[in-house]
Amino acid sequence: TMSDNQTHVLDYLDAIKRGDHEAAYAAFAEDATWQTPPSMPWPARFEGRRAIFDEYFAVDKGLFTTGLDSYDLDNRCVIAAGEHVVVEMTHRSTGLNGKHYETDHCLVFEIRGGKIQAVREYIDSHYLHEQMMA
C-alpha cells in the first residue's frame, strides 16, 4: 500500500542518517538502480544495490568529513502515490576541504515488492562541484 511504501523509504533514510548500512542495503532490491543527473562527475546510472553502495555512496568518503558514517538529511516534503515515493530534502555537511555544504535535492523512489527498485536523484551538481571539488 501507499503508506507501507512511504514507511519503507523513511525507514531507509533513517538507516542512512545513522550509518546503519546493513538496514539501508536490505531496503533495496538486488537489481535496484540509482540514477543521478548526467552533469554529476561520475556515471549517471548505477546498476544493482552492490554498485549503489560500493561505487556511488563510497564517493562520499572522499567528499564529506562524516564520510558514510552519518548524514544530516532533513526531509522537507514526502509525497507517496502508488509505487512512487518522492522526498524533497536538505543535505547539510562539511567537506573534507572545510567548506560548508547545504543544498536541497529531490529523490524519486520506485518501490516494488516492498523493496526500493529504482531511485532517480535530482541535485544541484554545479553547487556540489563548486563546494566540494573546485
Side-chain angles (χ1 to χ4, degrees), residues 25-103:
Y25 188 77
F28 283 83
E30 201 172 329
D31 61 346
T33 59
W34 189 295
Q35 196 166 316
T36 63
S39 55
M40 293 287 264
W42 42 75
R45 188 176 165 89
F46 297 84
E47 302 273 351
R49 66 179 174 185
R50 188 80 272 161
I52 292 168
F53 281 79
D54 288 355
E55 297 168 31
Y56 179 53
F57 287 144
V59 167
D60 291 347
K61 284 186 278 198
L63 293 179
F64 302 116
T65 52
T66 50
L68 302 172
D69 295 337
S70 66
Y71 288 87
D72 180 357
L73 303 175
D74 182 14
N75 300 336
R76 298 176 55 217
C77 177
V78 180
I79 300 164
E83 292 184 331
H84 294 90
V85 180
V86 179
V87 182
E88 183 187 22
M89 62 174 68
T90 303
H91 178 195
R92 296 179 190 89
S93 192
T94 304
L96 293 179
N97 59 10
K99 286 189 182 177
H100 180 65
Y101 180 87
E102 180 170 341
T103 189

Coordinates of all heavy atoms in Angstrom, one line a residue, residues 25-103:
Y25 N 21.1 -1.2 3.1 CA 21.3 -2.2 2.0 C 20.2 -3.1 1.8 O 19.7 -3.4 0.7 CB 22.6 -3.0 2.3 CG 23.1 -3.8 1.2 CD1 23.8 -3.3 0.1 CD2 22.9 -5.2 1.2 CE1 24.3 -4.1 -1.0 CE2 23.4 -6.0 0.2 CZ 24.1 -5.4 -0.9 OH 24.5 -6.2 -1.9
A26 N 19.6 -3.6 2.9 CA 18.5 -4.5 2.9 C 17.2 -3.9 2.3 O 16.3 -4.6 1.9 CB 18.2 -5.1 4.2
A27 N 17.1 -2.6 2.3 CA 15.9 -1.9 1.8 C 15.8 -1.9 0.3 O 14.8 -1.7 -0.2 CB 16.0 -0.4 2.3
F28 N 17.0 -2.2 -0.4 CA 17.0 -2.2 -1.8 C 16.8 -3.6 -2.4 O 17.3 -4.6 -1.9 CB 18.3 -1.7 -2.3 CG 18.5 -0.2 -2.3 CD1 18.9 0.4 -1.1 CD2 18.3 0.6 -3.4 CE1 19.0 1.8 -1.0 CE2 18.4 2.0 -3.3 CZ 18.8 2.6 -2.1
A29 N 16.1 -3.7 -3.6 CA 16.1 -4.9 -4.4 C 17.5 -5.2 -4.9 O 18.3 -4.2 -5.1 CB 15.1 -4.8 -5.5
E30 N 17.9 -6.4 -5.1 CA 19.2 -6.8 -5.5 C 19.6 -6.1 -6.9 O 20.7 -5.7 -7.1 CB 19.3 -8.3 -5.7 CG 20.8 -8.8 -5.6 CD 20.9 -10.3 -5.5 OE1 20.0 -10.9 -4.9 OE2 21.8 -10.8 -6.1
D31 N 18.6 -6.0 -7.8 CA 18.8 -5.4 -9.1 C 18.4 -3.9 -9.2 O 18.0 -3.4 -10.2 CB 18.2 -6.2 -10.2 CG 16.6 -6.3 -10.0 OD1 16.1 -5.9 -8.9 OD2 16.0 -6.7 -10.9
A32 N 18.4 -3.3 -8.0 CA 17.9 -1.9 -8.0 C 18.9 -1.0 -8.8 O 20.0 -1.3 -9.1 CB 17.9 -1.4 -6.5
T33 N 18.3 0.2 -9.3 CA 19.1 1.1 -10.0 C 19.1 2.5 -9.3 O 18.1 2.8 -8.6 CB 18.7 1.3 -11.4 OG1 17.3 1.7 -11.4 CG2 18.8 0.0 -12.2
W34 N 20.1 3.3 -9.5 CA 20.2 4.6 -8.9 C 20.7 5.5 -10.0 O 21.7 5.3 -10.6 CB 21.1 4.7 -7.7 CG 21.1 6.0 -7.0 CD1 21.4 7.2 -7.4 CD2 20.6 6.2 -5.6 NE1 21.2 8.2 -6.5 CE2 20.8 7.6 -5.3 CE3 20.2 5.4 -4.6 CZ2 20.5 8.1 -4.1 CZ3 19.9 5.9 -3.4 CH2 20.0 7.3 -3.1
Q35 N 19.9 6.5 -10.4 CA 20.2 7.4 -11.5 C 20.5 8.8 -11.0 O 19.7 9.4 -10.2 CB 19.1 7.4 -12.5 CG 19.4 8.0 -13.8 CD 18.4 7.6 -14.8 OE1 17.9 6.5 -14.9 NE2 18.0 8.6 -15.6
T36 N 21.6 9.4 -11.4 CA 21.9 10.8 -11.0 C 21.9 11.7 -12.3 O 21.9 11.1 -13.4 CB 23.3 10.9 -10.3 OG1 24.3 10.5 -11.2 CG2 23.3 10.0 -9.1
P37 N 21.9 13.0 -12.1 CA 21.9 13.8 -13.3 C 23.2 13.6 -14.1 O 24.2 13.3 -13.5 CB 21.9 15.3 -12.7 CG 21.3 15.1 -11.4 CD 21.7 13.8 -10.9
P38 N 23.1 13.7 -15.4 CA 24.3 13.4 -16.3 C 25.4 14.4 -16.0 O 26.6 14.1 -16.4 CB 23.8 13.5 -17.7 CG 22.4 14.2 -17.6 CD 21.9 14.0 -16.2
S39 N 25.2 15.5 -15.4 CA 26.2 16.5 -15.1 C 27.0 16.2 -13.9 O 28.0 16.9 -13.6 CB 25.6 17.9 -15.0 OG 24.6 17.9 -14.0
M40 N 26.7 15.1 -13.2 CA 27.5 14.7 -12.0 C 28.8 14.2 -12.4 O 29.0 13.7 -13.5 CB 26.7 13.6 -11.2 CG 25.4 14.2 -10.6 SD 25.7 15.2 -9.2 CE 25.5 14.1 -7.8
P41 N 29.9 14.3 -11.6 CA 31.2 13.9 -12.0 C 31.5 12.4 -11.9 O 32.6 12.0 -11.7 CB 32.1 14.7 -11.0 CG 31.3 14.9 -9.8 CD 29.8 15.0 -10.3
W42 N 30.5 11.6 -12.1 CA 30.6 10.1 -12.1 C 29.5 9.6 -13.0 O 28.6 10.3 -13.4 CB 30.6 9.6 -10.7 CG 29.6 10.2 -9.8 CD1 28.2 9.9 -9.8 CD2 29.8 11.1 -8.8 NE1 27.6 10.7 -8.9 CE2 28.5 11.4 -8.2 CE3 30.9 11.7 -8.2 CZ2 28.4 12.3 -7.2 CZ3 30.8 12.6 -7.2 CH2 29.5 12.9 -6.7
P43 N 29.5 8.3 -13.2 CA 28.5 7.7 -14.1 C 27.1 8.0 -13.6 O 26.9 8.1 -12.4 CB 28.7 6.2 -13.9 CG 30.2 6.0 -13.5 CD 30.5 7.2 -12.7
A44 N 26.2 8.3 -14.5 CA 24.9 8.7 -14.2 C 23.9 7.6 -13.7 O 22.9 7.9 -13.1 CB 24.3 9.4 -15.4
R45 N 24.3 6.4 -13.9 CA 23.4 5.3 -13.6 C 24.2 4.1 -12.9 O 25.2 3.7 -13.5 CB 22.7 4.8 -14.8 CG 21.6 3.8 -14.6 CD 20.9 3.5 -15.9 NE 20.1 2.3 -15.8 CZ 18.8 2.3 -15.4 NH1 18.2 3.5 -15.2 NH2 18.1 1.2 -15.3
F46 N 23.7 3.7 -11.8 CA 24.3 2.6 -11.1 C 23.4 1.4 -11.1 O 22.2 1.6 -10.7 CB 24.7 3.0 -9.7 CG 25.7 4.1 -9.6 CD1 25.3 5.5 -9.8 CD2 27.0 3.9 -9.5 CE1 26.2 6.5 -9.8 CE2 28.0 4.9 -9.5 CZ 27.6 6.2 -9.7
E47 N 23.9 0.3 -11.5 CA 23.1 -0.9 -11.7 C 23.3 -1.9 -10.6 O 24.5 -2.4 -10.4 CB 23.4 -1.6 -13.0 CG 23.2 -0.7 -14.3 CD 21.8 -0.7 -14.8 OE1 21.0 -1.6 -14.4 OE2 21.5 0.1 -15.7
G48 N 22.3 -2.2 -9.8 CA 22.4 -3.2 -8.7 C 22.8 -2.5 -7.4 O 23.5 -1.6 -7.4
R49 N 22.2 -3.1 -6.3 CA 22.5 -2.4 -5.0 C 23.9 -2.5 -4.6 O 24.4 -1.6 -3.9 CB 21.6 -3.0 -3.9 CG 21.8 -4.4 -3.6 CD 20.9 -4.9 -2.5 NE 21.1 -6.3 -2.2 CZ 20.3 -7.0 -1.4 NH1 19.3 -6.5 -0.7 NH2 20.5 -8.3 -1.3
R50 N 24.6 -3.5 -5.0 CA 26.1 -3.6 -4.7 C 26.8 -2.4 -5.3 O 27.6 -1.7 -4.6 CB 26.6 -4.9 -5.3 CG 28.0 -5.2 -4.9 CD 28.1 -5.9 -3.5 NE 28.3 -4.8 -2.5 CZ 28.0 -5.0 -1.2 NH1 27.6 -6.2 -0.8 NH2 28.2 -4.1 -0.3
A51 N 26.5 -2.0 -6.5 CA 27.2 -0.9 -7.2 C 26.7 0.4 -6.5 O 27.5 1.4 -6.3 CB 26.8 -0.8 -8.7
I52 N 25.5 0.5 -6.1 CA 25.0 1.7 -5.4 C 25.8 2.0 -4.2 O 26.2 3.1 -3.9 CB 23.4 1.6 -5.1 CG1 22.6 1.6 -6.4 CG2 23.0 2.7 -4.2 CD1 21.2 1.1 -6.2
F53 N 26.0 0.9 -3.4 CA 26.7 1.1 -2.1 C 28.2 1.2 -2.3 O 28.9 2.0 -1.7 CB 26.3 0.0 -1.1 CG 25.0 0.3 -0.5 CD1 23.8 0.1 -1.2 CD2 24.9 0.9 0.8 CE1 22.5 0.4 -0.6 CE2 23.7 1.1 1.4 CZ 22.5 0.9 0.7
D54 N 28.8 0.3 -3.2 CA 30.2 0.2 -3.3 C 30.8 1.3 -4.2 O 32.0 1.7 -4.0 CB 30.6 -1.1 -3.9 CG 30.4 -2.3 -3.0 OD1 30.1 -2.0 -1.8 OD2 30.6 -3.4 -3.4
E55 N 30.0 1.8 -5.1 CA 30.6 2.8 -6.0 C 30.0 4.2 -5.8 O 30.7 5.2 -5.6 CB 30.3 2.4 -7.5 CG 31.0 1.1 -7.9 CD 30.5 0.5 -9.2 OE1 30.1 1.4 -10.1 OE2 30.5 -0.7 -9.3
Y56 N 28.7 4.3 -5.7 CA 28.0 5.6 -5.6 C 28.2 6.2 -4.2 O 28.8 7.3 -4.0 CB 26.6 5.6 -6.0 CG 25.9 6.9 -5.9 CD1 26.4 8.0 -6.5 CD2 24.7 7.0 -5.1 CE1 25.8 9.3 -6.4 CE2 24.1 8.3 -5.0 CZ 24.6 9.4 -5.6 OH 24.0 10.6 -5.5
F57 N 27.7 5.5 -3.2 CA 27.8 6.0 -1.8 C 29.3 6.2 -1.4 O 29.6 7.1 -0.6 CB 27.1 5.2 -0.8 CG 25.6 5.3 -0.9 CD1 24.8 4.2 -0.7 CD2 25.0 6.5 -1.2 CE1 23.4 4.3 -0.8 CE2 23.6 6.6 -1.3 CZ 22.8 5.5 -1.1
A58 N 30.2 5.3 -1.9 CA 31.6 5.3 -1.5 C 32.2 6.7 -1.8 O 33.2 7.1 -1.2 CB 32.3 4.2 -2.1
V59 N 31.7 7.4 -2.8 CA 32.3 8.7 -3.2 C 32.3 9.6 -2.0 O 33.2 10.5 -1.9 CB 31.4 9.3 -4.4 CG1 31.7 10.7 -4.6 CG2 31.7 8.5 -5.6
D60 N 31.3 9.5 -1.1 CA 31.1 10.4 0.0 C 32.3 10.4 1.0 O 32.6 11.4 1.7 CB 29.8 10.2 0.7 CG 28.6 10.6 -0.1 OD1 28.8 11.3 -1.1 OD2 27.5 10.2 0.3
K61 N 33.0 9.3 1.0 CA 34.2 9.2 1.8 C 35.3 10.2 1.4 O 36.1 10.7 2.2 CB 34.8 7.8 1.8 CG 34.0 6.7 2.6 CD 34.7 5.4 2.6 CE 34.4 4.6 1.4 NZ 34.7 3.2 1.6
G62 N 35.3 10.5 0.1 CA 36.2 11.5 -0.4 C 35.7 12.9 -0.4 O 36.4 13.8 -0.9
L63 N 34.5 13.1 0.0 CA 33.9 14.4 0.0 C 33.6 15.0 1.3 O 33.9 16.2 1.6 CB 32.5 14.4 -0.8 CG 32.5 14.0 -2.3 CD1 31.1 14.0 -2.8 CD2 33.4 15.0 -3.1
F64 N 33.0 14.2 2.2 CA 32.5 14.8 3.5 C 33.2 14.3 4.7 O 33.7 13.2 4.7 CB 31.0 14.4 3.6 CG 30.1 14.9 2.5 CD1 29.5 13.9 1.7 CD2 29.9 16.2 2.2 CE1 28.7 14.3 0.6 CE2 29.1 16.6 1.2 CZ 28.5 15.7 0.4
T65 N 33.3 15.2 5.7 CA 34.0 14.8 7.0 C 33.3 13.6 7.6 O 34.0 12.8 8.3 CB 34.0 16.0 8.0 OG1 32.7 16.5 8.1 CG2 34.9 17.1 7.4
T66 N 32.0 13.5 7.5 CA 31.3 12.3 8.1 C 31.4 11.1 7.3 O 31.0 10.0 7.7 CB 29.8 12.7 8.3 OG1 29.3 13.2 7.1 CG2 29.6 13.7 9.4
G67 N 31.9 11.2 6.1 CA 32.1 10.0 5.2 C 30.8 9.4 5.0 O 29.8 10.0 4.6
L68 N 30.7 8.1 5.3 CA 29.5 7.3 5.2 C 28.9 7.0 6.6 O 27.9 6.3 6.7 CB 29.7 6.0 4.5 CG 30.3 6.0 3.1 CD1 30.7 4.6 2.6 CD2 29.4 6.6 2.1
D69 N 29.5 7.6 7.6 CA 29.1 7.2 9.0 C 27.7 7.7 9.4 O 27.0 7.1 10.1 CB 30.1 7.7 10.0 CG 31.4 7.0 9.8 OD1 31.4 5.8 9.3 OD2 32.5 7.5 10.2
S70 N 27.4 8.9 8.9 CA 26.1 9.5 9.2 C 25.8 10.6 8.2 O 26.7 11.1 7.5 CB 26.1 10.1 10.6 OG 27.0 11.2 10.7
Y71 N 24.5 11.0 8.1 CA 24.1 12.0 7.2 C 23.1 12.9 7.9 O 22.3 12.5 8.6 CB 23.4 11.4 5.9 CG 24.4 10.7 5.0 CD1 24.7 9.4 5.2 CD2 24.9 11.4 3.9 CE1 25.6 8.8 4.3 CE2 25.8 10.8 3.0 CZ 26.1 9.4 3.2 OH 27.0 8.8 2.4
D72 N 23.3 14.2 7.6 CA 22.4 15.2 8.2 C 21.4 15.5 7.0 O 21.7 16.4 6.2 CB 23.1 16.5 8.6 CG 22.2 17.6 9.1 OD1 20.9 17.4 9.1 OD2 22.7 18.6 9.6
L73 N 20.3 14.8 7.0 CA 19.3 14.9 6.0 C 18.0 15.4 6.6 O 17.5 14.8 7.6 CB 19.0 13.6 5.2 CG 20.2 12.9 4.6 CD1 19.8 11.5 4.0 CD2 20.8 13.8 3.5
D74 N 17.4 16.4 6.1 CA 16.2 17.0 6.7 C 15.1 16.8 5.6 O 15.1 17.5 4.6 CB 16.4 18.5 7.0 CG 15.2 19.1 7.6 OD1 14.3 18.4 8.0 OD2 15.2 20.4 7.6
N75 N 14.2 15.8 5.9 CA 13.1 15.6 4.9 C 12.1 16.7 5.0 O 11.5 16.9 6.0 CB 12.4 14.3 5.3 CG 13.3 13.1 5.2 OD1 14.4 13.1 4.5 ND2 13.0 12.0 5.9
R76 N 12.0 17.5 3.9 CA 11.2 18.7 3.9 C 9.8 18.4 3.4 O 8.8 19.0 3.8 CB 11.8 19.8 3.1 CG 13.2 20.2 3.7 CD 13.9 21.2 2.8 NE 13.0 22.4 2.5 CZ 12.9 23.0 1.3 NH1 13.7 22.6 0.3 NH2 12.1 24.0 1.2
C77 N 9.7 17.4 2.5 CA 8.4 17.1 1.9 C 8.4 15.7 1.4 O 9.4 15.2 0.8 CB 8.2 18.0 0.7 SG 6.7 17.7 -0.2
V78 N 7.4 14.9 1.8 CA 7.3 13.5 1.3 C 6.0 13.3 0.7 O 4.9 13.6 1.3 CB 7.5 12.5 2.5 CG1 7.4 11.1 2.0 CG2 8.8 12.8 3.2
I79 N 6.0 12.8 -0.6 CA 4.8 12.5 -1.3 C 4.8 11.1 -1.8 O 5.7 10.6 -2.4 CB 4.6 13.5 -2.5 CG1 4.6 14.9 -2.1 CG2 3.4 13.1 -3.3 CD1 4.9 15.9 -3.2
A80 N 3.7 10.4 -1.4 CA 3.6 9.0 -1.8 C 2.4 8.7 -2.7 O 1.3 9.2 -2.3 CB 3.6 8.1 -0.6
A81 N 2.6 8.1 -3.8 CA 1.4 7.7 -4.7 C 1.8 6.5 -5.4 O 2.7 6.4 -6.1 CB 1.2 8.9 -5.7
G82 N 1.0 5.4 -5.2 CA 1.2 4.2 -5.8 C 2.6 3.6 -5.5 O 3.0 3.5 -4.3
E83 N 3.3 3.3 -6.5 CA 4.7 2.7 -6.3 C 5.7 3.7 -6.1 O 6.9 3.4 -5.9 CB 5.1 1.9 -7.6 CG 4.3 0.6 -7.9 CD 4.9 -0.1 -9.1 OE1 5.5 0.5 -10.0 OE2 4.8 -1.3 -9.1
H84 N 5.4 5.0 -6.1 CA 6.4 6.1 -6.0 C 6.3 6.8 -4.7 O 5.2 7.1 -4.2 CB 6.1 7.1 -7.2 CG 6.4 6.5 -8.5 ND1 5.5 5.9 -9.3 CD2 7.6 6.5 -9.2 CE1 6.0 5.5 -10.4 NE2 7.3 5.8 -10.4
V85 N 7.5 7.1 -4.2 CA 7.6 8.0 -3.0 C 8.6 9.1 -3.4 O 9.8 8.7 -3.8 CB 8.1 7.2 -1.8 CG1 8.2 8.1 -0.6 CG2 7.1 6.1 -1.5
V86 N 8.3 10.3 -3.3 CA 9.1 11.4 -3.6 C 9.5 12.2 -2.3 O 8.6 12.5 -1.5 CB 8.4 12.4 -4.6 CG1 9.3 13.6 -4.9 CG2 8.0 11.7 -5.9
V87 N 10.8 12.4 -2.2 CA 11.3 13.0 -1.0 C 12.1 14.2 -1.4 O 13.1 14.1 -2.1 CB 12.1 12.1 -0.1 CG1 12.6 12.8 1.2 CG2 11.4 10.8 0.3
E88 N 11.7 15.4 -0.9 CA 12.5 16.6 -1.1 C 13.2 16.8 0.2 O 12.6 16.8 1.3 CB 11.5 17.8 -1.4 CG 12.2 19.1 -1.6 CD 11.2 20.2 -1.7 OE1 10.1 20.1 -1.2 OE2 11.6 21.3 -2.3
M89 N 14.6 17.0 0.2 CA 15.3 17.1 1.4 C 16.4 18.1 1.3 O 16.8 18.5 0.2 CB 15.9 15.7 1.7 CG 16.9 15.2 0.7 SD 17.7 13.7 1.2 CE 16.4 12.5 1.1
T90 N 16.9 18.5 2.5 CA 18.1 19.3 2.6 C 19.2 18.5 3.2 O 19.0 17.8 4.2 CB 17.8 20.5 3.6 OG1 16.7 21.3 3.1 CG2 19.0 21.4 3.6
H91 N 20.3 18.5 2.5 CA 21.5 17.8 3.0 C 22.5 18.8 3.4 O 22.9 19.7 2.7 CB 22.1 16.9 1.8 CG 23.3 16.2 2.1 ND1 24.1 15.6 1.2 CD2 23.9 15.8 3.3 CE1 25.1 15.0 1.7 NE2 25.0 15.1 3.0
R92 N 23.0 18.6 4.7 CA 24.0 19.5 5.3 C 25.2 18.7 5.6 O 25.1 17.6 6.2 CB 23.5 20.2 6.5 CG 22.3 21.1 6.3 CD 21.8 21.8 7.6 NE 20.6 22.5 7.3 CZ 19.4 21.9 7.4 NH1 19.3 20.7 7.8 NH2 18.3 22.6 7.2
S93 N 26.4 19.2 5.4 CA 27.6 18.5 5.8 C 28.8 19.5 5.7 O 28.6 20.7 5.4 CB 27.9 17.4 4.9 OG 28.9 16.5 5.4
T94 N 29.9 19.0 6.1 CA 31.2 19.8 5.9 C 32.1 19.0 5.0 O 32.3 17.8 5.2 CB 31.8 20.0 7.3 OG1 30.9 20.7 8.1 CG2 33.1 20.9 7.1
G95 N 32.6 19.6 4.0 CA 33.5 18.9 3.1 C 34.9 18.7 3.7 O 35.3 19.3 4.7
L96 N 35.6 17.7 3.2 CA 36.9 17.4 3.6 C 37.8 18.7 3.4 O 38.8 18.9 4.1 CB 37.6 16.3 2.9 CG 36.9 14.9 3.2 CD1 37.6 13.8 2.3 CD2 37.0 14.5 4.7
N97 N 37.4 19.5 2.5 CA 38.1 20.8 2.2 C 37.7 21.9 3.2 O 38.2 23.0 3.0 CB 37.8 21.2 0.7 CG 36.3 21.5 0.5 OD1 35.5 21.5 1.4 ND2 35.9 21.7 -0.7
G98 N 36.9 21.6 4.2 CA 36.5 22.6 5.2 C 35.3 23.4 4.8 O 34.8 24.2 5.6
K99 N 34.8 23.3 3.6 CA 33.7 24.1 3.1 C 32.3 23.6 3.7 O 32.1 22.4 3.7 CB 33.6 24.2 1.6 CG 34.6 25.1 1.0 CD 34.3 25.2 -0.5 CE 35.4 26.1 -1.3 NZ 35.1 26.1 -2.7
H100 N 31.4 24.5 4.0 CA 30.1 24.1 4.4 C 29.3 23.7 3.2 O 29.4 24.3 2.2 CB 29.4 25.3 5.1 CG 28.0 25.0 5.6 ND1 27.7 24.0 6.6 CD2 26.8 25.5 5.2 CE1 26.4 24.0 6.7 NE2 25.8 24.8 5.9
Y101 N 28.5 22.6 3.4 CA 27.7 22.1 2.3 C 26.3 22.1 2.7 O 26.0 21.5 3.8 CB 28.2 20.7 1.9 CG 27.5 20.0 0.8 CD1 27.9 20.2 -0.5 CD2 26.4 19.2 1.1 CE1 27.2 19.5 -1.6 CE2 25.7 18.5 0.0 CZ 26.1 18.7 -1.3 OH 25.5 18.1 -2.3
E102 N 25.4 22.7 2.0 CA 24.0 22.7 2.3 C 23.2 22.9 1.0 O 23.3 24.0 0.4 CB 23.6 23.8 3.3 CG 22.1 23.7 3.7 CD 21.7 24.6 4.9 OE1 22.6 24.9 5.7 OE2 20.5 24.9 5.0
T103 N 22.5 21.9 0.6 CA 21.7 22.0 -0.6 C 20.5 21.2 -0.5 O 20.4 20.2 0.2 CB 22.6 21.6 -1.8 OG1 21.9 21.9 -3.0 CG2 22.9 20.1 -1.8

